[in-house]
């Protein structure tokens, strides 16, 4: 069921998403070569709980951590580990969710560690920009296919591919609500958006093929060709003539 949020609910979503934004800003200032992904996770857990919020990923369908930390060919859902070290030249996607006063925030960034090669740098920049290209089409009455096509066409014009197996989602009192929000599609098709709908838009972009697989830990999604992948996500609310990004 797709829901439209009241002004009061949107204010709570703003607060939950500001906690997520601040958490990711803190990670961006702290993350460096030599850290483990478990240290990133602890930073996320400690900061979210210090805000009086709860990390929404922790325990979600058995997920064992507060953040997803996905390095290089890992697309999303990398499980933090005290044995996994971040290295110079890596790109590291960090995905974080919080629940505050019953409402969810969800966002992700991909960080470049020190000097990264030209392809990874372009991949990270195109992935982030694809989100901003996508939201240009948003407003009451726009269709989900308009959004998906805007993201996909921008990504493909740079020679990269959009992951198909995972999509964005509605968000509110649940982290995952209807509708599904693909990062690909056909302009003029799909559900029409209404002002007050809150959705998490999260392009996952691969340097090579869009094909992915899940590792034996049942969580970590990696590219099938082993080439790098980047992720960028914000929660937004649709308005009459555009959208407001709640997690920036
Ligand atoms: N932010 C993610 C999403 O949008 C990931 C959550 S997966 C979890 O779906 F299980 F770790 F919570
Ligand atoms: Co999400």
């Amino acid at each position: 069921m797709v829901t439209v949020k009241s002004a009061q609910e949107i204010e709570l979503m703003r607060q939950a998403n500001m906690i997520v934004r601040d958490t990711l800003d803190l990670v961006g200032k702290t993350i460096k070569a030599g850290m483990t992904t478990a240290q990133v996770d602890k930073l996320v857990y400690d900061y979210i709980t210090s805000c009086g919020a709860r990390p929404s990923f922790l325990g979600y369908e058995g997920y064992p951590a507060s953040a997803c930390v996905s390095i290089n060919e890992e697309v999303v859902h990398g499980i933090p580990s005290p044995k996994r070290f971040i290295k110079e030249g890596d790109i590291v996607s960090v995905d974080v969710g919080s629940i505050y006063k019953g409402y969810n925030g969800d966002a992700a960034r991909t960080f470049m560690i020190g000097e990264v090669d030209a392809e990874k740098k372009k991949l990270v920049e195109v992935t982030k920009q694809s989100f901003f290209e996508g939201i240009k089409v948003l407003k009451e009455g726009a269709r989900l296919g308009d959004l998906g096509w805007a993201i996909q066409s921008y990504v493909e014009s740079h020679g990269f591919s959009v992951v198909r197996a995972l999509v964005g989602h509605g968000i509110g009192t649940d982290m995952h609500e209807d509708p599904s929000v693909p990062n690909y599609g056909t302009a003029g098709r799909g559900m029409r958006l209404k002002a007050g709908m809150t959705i998490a838009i999260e392009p996952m972009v691969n340097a090579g093929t869009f094909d992915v697989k899940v590792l034996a830990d049942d969580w970590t999604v990696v590219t099938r060709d082993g080439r790098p992948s980047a992720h960028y996500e914000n929660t937004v609310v649709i308005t009459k003539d555009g959208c407001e990004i709640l997690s920036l």
Side-chain angles (χ1 to χ4, degrees), residues 12-20 98-100 103-105:
L12 293 173
M13 301 261 321
R14 220 175 256 126
Q15 292 176 23
N17 278 286
M18 279 177 194
I19 293 167
V20 164
S98 81
I99 303 180
Y100 186 67
Y103 285 83
N104 278 270

Side-chain angles (χ1 to χ4, degrees), residues 66-104:
S66 301
C68 299
V69 184
S70 311
I71 303 178
N72 298 333
E73 78 286 356
E74 295 169 356
V75 179
V76 287
H77 303 168
I79 301 176
S81 159
K83 292 186 201 147
R84 187 72 191 275
F85 288 86
I86 293 165
K87 304 186 312 291
E88 169 92 13
D90 283 346
I91 56 172
V92 184
S93 304
V94 179
D95 190 347
V96 165
S98 81
I99 303 180
Y100 186 67
K101 297 185 179 169
Y103 285 83
N104 278 270

Side-chain angles (χ1 to χ4, degrees), residues 57 95 104-107 167-172 174-183 198-202 204 233-236:
F57 297 1
D95 190 347
N104 278 270
D106 189 1
V167 297
H169 49 93
I171 178 167
D174 288 333
M175 172 163 62
H176 293 139
E177 299 185 352
D178 290 336
S180 287
V181 181
N183 302 297
T198 45
I199 58 176
I201 301 168
E202 49 177 318
M204 289 150 270
E233 174 179 25
N234 282 305
T235 298
V236 312

Side-chain angles (χ1 to χ4, degrees), residues 152-226:
Q152 179 185 3
S153 57
Y154 179 79
V155 165
E156 291 177 354
S157 76
H158 286 86
F160 297 139
S161 66
V162 168
V163 172
R164 306 295 201 276
L166 298 131
V167 297
H169 49 93
I171 178 167
T173 53
D174 288 333
M175 172 163 62
H176 293 139
E177 299 185 352
D178 290 336
S180 287
V181 181
N183 302 297
Y184 52 89
T186 306
R189 297 274 196 89
M191 200 190 75
R192 280 190 193 280
L193 297 166
K194 289 199 184 83
M197 286 180 181
T198 45
I199 58 176
I201 301 168
E202 49 177 318
M204 289 150 270
V205 177
N206 293 353
T209 91
F210 62 70
D211 227 5
V212 298
K213 63 182 182 184
V214 181
L215 296 185
D217 64 15
D218 273 341
W219 279 102
T220 313
V221 177
V222 299
T223 58
R224 206 171 273 278
D225 61 11

Side-chain angles (χ1 to χ4, degrees), residues 19 23 26-27 38-55 58 66-67 96:
I19 293 167
T23 306
L26 176 64
V27 171
Q39 287 175 300
V40 174
D41 184 62
K42 181 174 183 335
L43 188 67
V44 166
Y45 176 86
D46 287 347
Y47 186 77
I48 291 177
T49 53
S50 79
C51 296
R54 189 157 60 79
L58 190 58
S66 301
V96 165

